[in-house]
Amino acid sequence: MQFPIDKIKGFLCGLGVVCSWTVATPISQAAEKVIIQLGPFQQTVEISDLENFAKTGKLPQELRAFSSFLTPEVRGLLNQKFQVNPAIGDKFIDELVKTPQGKQLISSLGGIIPGSTSQSLKDTLNLTLRRANGLSVLGFLRSYPGENITVDATKAVSLSLDFNPANLQSQAFGALLEQELVAKNDVVLPKNLNPALPGNQTVQEVSLVLRDSRRNRTIPVDVYSSSAPGQTAIQTPAQQPMVVISHGFGANRQFLRYLALHLASHGITVAAMEHPGSNALAVNRAANNSDLARLLPANEFIARPQDVSFLLDELAKLNSQSGQLQGKLNTDNVTIIGHSLGGYTALALVGGKLDLGALRKFCNNSLGIAEAPGDWLQCAATGLKEGNFDLRDKRIKNAIALNPLVGNLFGKNGLSRINTPVLMLAGTEDALTPALKHQFAPFTQLKESNSKYLLTAIGGTHLSIGDPMYRHNAATNIAREKRGTETKSLREILCGLSLAFIQQQTDTAKIYQPFLSSSYAQSFSTPQLPLRLVTELPGNLKKWAEYAAR
């Protein structure tokens, strides 16, 4: 009888809590054999034989029966490394098991390993970390007490994206962030102003379709503005910056519609655009044609920022022409707001430098089955030809990057080139672009001398900030998501922080500055979704984030 390949992957990934391989020093009463159960089928395998296969790729006689699924792909998965800073190894496990996902992980492992207890599993995880400075499938098996360990492969399949390595680290990191960054209520907020509340201007919406004949791209855009010139409580529209919204992979310009309406109600003109090579239409077309290689063309990493620059060129023309938008398009003072792949787009436009060398090194040497979808998606950029990609547009004065896809795209230093203010959002249960690797570690690259802010939604997922009315694309909605009522407070604080952040480019900066505070952000916290805002990570958490970026 042969295992289906997806079941062996589930078994290997689920057990390790993370698919990697580390040699562990044998100790007394440590497991030597693993008994795999799959329905009525049962097979005993020497752990040493699995270790030898991971090292050499050669199958000993005892493993020949497994040759159909012990493929080079599975071997690569076994050789992955999930490192945890040794200095915080024990604390990592302690904090992890306190999180909802950590508790679910222990519960799932209990079902996978019959006869285990929560304490024995926690002890085994701690022992694995102490002996090998990292978690691994084989290290875990070696550390488990007893001569044999039985694994129910049918239950192992249930562990999915939620338990990829980076997401687990983000969970534990978020738990520490919640504890260590409780805000002190020492900021006095203006009593007659709350930027999270809707403004007093009526909003009009104009839909445009712009054609870039030079690049053969058609770009739809919805422009939100106040219906007539007038004065807000503080400022006239002519003085306001402009906002451009860039959607994520497989989404469209409706994803952040509520945010566009909110900002426009305060007199800020917002252009929500679509990127024709990576919007919902393009992804559905590629998926329906089974042309998965075209889901995200490499050139899209260059074309997206260029879409925004083209849009600003066209809107500058409209600003001087008679019509509904005349005088409302301040294209020389722009804030870019991007979600996911749009977050990458935003960071590239304010000076983030692509590092194809670092990206290719990761994609060629470290990318494995257990990595998050965002880690796989970024590797589409390796198809780009070498070049000096300068995607910065100086008309864009600051950036809001929401759950940005970053990973290895900018290498270790690419974001340090940014000289503009940045507001970044991370969700600790984001299984698509896990926060530690895609937001926390990149945040440490940003210069301390710049105005930078990190909003963390502890328990937030990748799509938590989406418009409640937005219809999510089934092709990209592949993980459990928190949306709707339970994430209402996150959308409210995003509206307030975004407005306060944008207004830092105006003469009302001092009025809105108090709202860019940890106490204001925390005032929107709920027991289900604690919120934290920082301008710099504390020393121990910063070291953890930097370690994760290695």
Side-chain angles (χ1 to χ4, degrees):
M1 179 179 178
Q2 295 182 347
F3 281 124
I5 185 66
D6 59 334
K7 294 191 181 293
I8 190 64
K9 288 177 184 175
F11 155 58
L12 292 170
C13 292
L15 255 197
V17 214
V18 276
C19 313
S20 61
W21 176 73
T22 358
V23 177
T25 306
I27 58 174
S28 58
Q29 296 185 337
E32 299 292 336
K33 299 178 181 179
V34 58
I35 301 171
I36 304 173
Q37 293 180 343
L38 183 60
F41 177 77
Q42 180 171 301
Q43 176 70 41
T44 300
V45 177
E46 296 282 346
I47 297 176
S48 60
D49 287 338
L50 289 174
E51 291 172 333
N52 288 333
F53 167 70
K55 285 182 180 179
T56 67
K58 296 180 180 179
L59 290 173
Q61 186 64 40
E62 292 78 5
L63 290 180
R64 296 289 170 82
F66 294 83
S67 60
S68 62
F69 59 81
L70 288 177
T71 62
E73 183 183 35
V74 173
R75 183 192 170 205
L77 180 146
L78 281 172
N79 279 298
Q80 288 178 44
K81 185 78 170 179
F82 174 29
Q83 295 178 321
V84 175
N85 190 337
I88 48 83
D90 288 345
K91 197 169 186 179
F92 169 78
I93 295 298
D94 290 341
E95 295 300 333
L96 175 65
V97 298
K98 294 176 184 177
T99 67
Q101 277 206 331
K103 293 176 182 178
Q104 184 185 347
L105 171 64
I106 294 295
S107 176
S108 298
L109 283 175
I112 291 169
I113 304 173
S116 63
T117 66
S118 296
Q119 190 60 49
S120 69
L121 293 170
K122 181 182 175 182
D123 290 344
T124 303
L125 290 171
N126 273 317
L127 181 58
T128 306
L129 279 177
R130 287 198 299 271
R131 294 166 66 203
N133 292 336
L135 291 174
S136 66
V137 173
L138 299 176
F140 180 90
L141 295 176
R142 280 292 192 195
S143 299
Y144 196 80
E147 182 179 351
N148 301 327
I149 177 172
T150 300
V151 173
D152 187 334
T154 58
K155 293 183 179 179
V157 177
S158 65
L159 290 187
S160 60
L161 283 175
D162 289 338
F163 301 114
N164 69 64
N167 198 27
L168 287 173
Q169 291 212 47
S170 298
Q171 288 286 309
F173 192 95
L176 287 175
L177 201 64
E178 179 180 4
Q179 293 174 18
E180 297 194 14
L181 297 179
V182 176
K184 299 177 182 178
N185 294 319
D186 54 0
V187 177
V188 179
L189 299 176
K191 294 182 179 180
N192 61 343
L193 177 66
N194 183 348
L197 296 177
N200 60 7
Q201 298 219 16
T202 302
V203 177
Q204 69 174 8
E205 180 179 349
V206 177
S207 294
L208 307 171
V209 177
L210 304 176
R211 177 66 182 169
D212 186 345
S213 56
R214 183 178 63 84
R215 296 186 305 136
N216 193 28
R217 287 172 77 87
T218 299
I219 299 174
V221 57
D222 294 334
V223 180
Y224 302 82
S225 64
S226 54
S227 60
Q231 193 160 355
T232 66
I234 295 171
Q235 192 171 39
T236 62
Q239 297 172 300
Q240 293 279 30
M242 182 183 163
V243 168
V244 173
I245 296 180
S246 171
H247 62 77
F249 173 71
N252 63 36
R253 61 192 186 278
Q254 299 292 314
F255 182 75
L256 291 173
R257 178 177 169 81
Y258 73 94
L259 181 57
L261 290 168
H262 178 80
L263 296 174
S265 75
H266 285 270
I268 295 174
T269 301
V270 180
M273 64 182 305
E274 284 196 33
H275 302 279
S278 51
N279 61 1
L281 185 62
V283 172
N284 287 336
R285 185 185 299 118
N288 291 337
N289 293 334
S290 300
D291 187 6
L292 300 184
R294 296 292 300 172
L295 280 177
L296 184 58
N299 189 59
E300 196 66 10
F301 289 87
I302 307 303
R304 276 176 148 260
Q306 291 175 342
D307 288 343
V308 177
S309 294
F310 167 76
L311 172 67
L312 294 180
D313 291 341
E314 295 301 302
L315 293 182
K317 298 174 186 177
L318 289 175
N319 191 58
S320 61
Q321 299 173 2
S322 60
Q324 290 178 302
L325 299 176
Q326 185 178 19
K328 297 181 180 181
L329 303 168
N330 188 357
T331 56
D332 289 324
N333 187 357
V334 178
T335 295
I336 178 74
I337 301 178
H339 175 253
S340 191
L341 187 57
Y344 153 79
T345 305
L347 293 171
L349 280 161
V350 291
K353 182 73 171 178
L354 270 173
D355 188 338
L356 291 182
L359 181 64
R360 286 177 178 137
K361 182 178 179 180
F362 168 78
C363 297
N364 292 336
N365 301 333
S366 303
L367 186 64
I369 296 170
E371 300 297 332
D375 295 322
W376 283 87
L377 195 64
Q378 66 174 340
C379 290
T382 59
L384 290 170
K385 295 180 180 179
E386 292 292 344
N388 183 25
F389 302 114
D390 185 2
L391 302 170
R392 182 182 177 187
D393 191 316
K394 294 184 179 180
R395 293 171 292 186
I396 299 177
K397 306 305 182 183
N398 54 15
I400 300 176
L402 308 171
N403 305 97
L405 173 73
V406 179
N408 305 86
L409 285 164
F410 299 104
K412 294 182 179 180
N413 301 305
L415 294 181
S416 65
R417 297 165 54 95
I418 294 176
N419 292 312
T420 59
V422 173
L423 169 62
M424 192 177 289
L425 168 70
T428 62
E429 292 188 19
D430 184 340
L432 302 184
T433 55
L436 191 59
K437 184 172 181 180
H438 289 266
Q439 290 99 48
F440 294 141
F443 184 75
T444 65
Q445 279 193 41
L446 297 172
K447 294 178 181 178
E448 294 184 19
S449 58
N450 292 342
S451 297
K452 62 174 185 174
Y453 303 90
L454 173 66
L455 174 65
T456 301
I458 298 163
T461 62
H462 193 68
L463 302 177
S464 289
I465 61 164
D467 193 300
M469 302 301 293
Y470 178 77
R471 248 182 110 177
H472 291 274
N473 189 333
T476 56
N477 190 8
I478 58 176
R480 286 202 306 269
E481 292 287 346
K482 294 180 181 177
R483 296 194 291 264
T485 303
E486 63 182 331
T487 57
K488 180 182 178 182
S489 62
L490 176 57
R491 294 189 297 276
E492 289 175 340
I493 188 59
L494 179 60
C495 286
L497 285 181
S498 296
L499 180 60
F501 181 75
I502 293 165
Q503 296 290 23
Q504 297 309 297
Q505 300 299 315
T506 74
D507 56 8
T508 63
K510 290 184 179 180
I511 297 174
Y512 282 94
Q513 181 62 48
F515 296 101
L516 292 171
S517 63
S518 55
S519 56
Y520 179 65
Q522 196 169 312
S523 70
F524 287 83
S525 289
T526 66
Q528 298 76 29
L529 200 68
L531 300 168
R532 298 291 184 269
L533 182 72
V534 298
T535 56
E536 192 64 46
L537 292 173
N540 60 331
L541 294 182
K542 184 176 181 180
K543 289 180 180 178
W544 186 350
E546 291 172 342
Y547 188 88
R550 292 181 182 179

